[in-house]
Amino acid sequence: MAKLKATQLTEVELQILRILWELGPSPVRNIHARLTAAKGTNYSTTVKMLSVMLEKGLVKRDEAASPHIYRPTQSREKTGKQMVRDLVEKVYDGAAM
């Protein structure tokens, strides 16, 4: 699986990761409740976004639990550091500083 650069996160993906970092491992309904409060997202969109994030390796899903529990694959700190590195690399066109 290819490593996804943090700067490739969409706004919604980052918002879902923030929810998971705040709540900890959570079922779709808890994630959806937060998204609905912030954006008015419908349930099927939340499920689809989590499916896409699972494919990208941004979240893991515990299928042994019922309902399924989602958790981020990286900490907030690691993701933030990667986003900063990616931004610096992008600004300086990959040149070492």
Side-chain angles (χ1 to χ4, degrees):
M1 179 182 337
K3 181 181 173 191
L4 182 76
K5 290 195 171 210
T7 54
Q8 294 175 323
L9 295 174
T10 67
E11 182 182 335
V12 175
E13 289 169 344
L14 187 54
Q15 189 171 16
I16 290 172
L17 287 174
R18 285 184 187 128
I19 291 167
L20 288 170
W21 290 324
E22 182 182 330
L23 296 178
S26 302
V28 174
R29 71 177 169 271
N30 293 9
I31 299 164
H32 175 68
R34 291 288 181 100
L35 281 178
T36 298
K39 288 187 159 272
T41 306
N42 70 42
Y43 189 82
S44 62
T45 301
T46 303
V47 170
K48 179 63 177 172
M49 285 307 306
L50 284 164
S51 175
V52 168
M53 292 174 73
L54 186 64
E55 288 178 27
K56 287 182 170 183
L58 297 172
V59 296
K60 289 182 180 178
R61 178 174 62 202
D62 181 356
E63 296 182 8
S66 181
H68 298 241
I69 302 294
Y70 289 84
R71 69 186 78 247
T73 56
Q74 291 190 136
S75 69
R76 180 186 298 245
E77 293 76 19
K78 188 171 182 176
T79 301
K81 286 177 184 178
Q82 185 63 50
M83 289 178 81
V84 170
R85 277 192 299 270
D86 293 346
L87 178 61
V88 169
E89 196 173 293
K90 189 174 186 178
V91 169
Y92 291 99
D93 199 25
M97 296 190 301

